């Protein structure tokens, strides 16, 4: 079942997000396996991330990869756990 995730990351800048993403992209293998869609939005207080994952397992696997990298880069802790919802239906235009 697809999973929608929203994470609020107060205190994280877009430059920090870009550095984190660059390091994740440099890792061997398909770091983002199972991510169907990803959006990062800058806010007055930090960033918000919205992901659509093919499954809870795929999201959890990614979480196990991203957390040590984020900690190594000294990123502020998230503003609480992400909001996660099961998706009833999704579609991608043009597919």
């Amino acid at each position: 079942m697809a999973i929608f995730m929203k994470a609020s990351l107060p205190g994280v800048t877009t430059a920090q997000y870009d550095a984190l993403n660059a390091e994740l992209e440099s890792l061997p293998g398909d770091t983002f396996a199972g991510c169907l869609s990803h959006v990062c939005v800058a806010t007055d207080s930090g960033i918000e991330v919205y992901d659509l994952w093919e499954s809870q397992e795929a999201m959890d696997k990614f979480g196990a990869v991203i957390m040590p990298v984020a900690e190594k880069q000294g990123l502020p802790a998230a503003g609480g756990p992400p909001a996660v919802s099961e998706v009833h239906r999704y579609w991608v235009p043009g597919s």
Side-chain angles (χ1 to χ4, degrees), residues 13-54:
T13 67
T14 54
Q16 290 171 310
Y17 166 85
D18 291 342
L20 174 64
N21 215 35
E23 187 166 345
L24 291 170
E25 289 174 353
S26 74
L27 296 175
D30 187 0
T31 304
F32 305 98
C35 185
L36 302 171
S37 181
H38 172 81
V39 176
C40 175
V41 177
T43 68
D44 290 338
S45 62
I47 63 170
E48 292 185 355
V49 174
Y50 304 86
D51 284 347
L52 178 61
W53 290 93
E54 67 183 14

Side-chain angles (χ1 to χ4, degrees), residues 62-79:
F62 177 73
V65 172
I66 192 174
M67 293 311 295
V69 176
E71 289 173 11
K72 182 179 91 173
Q73 290 191 2
L75 293 179

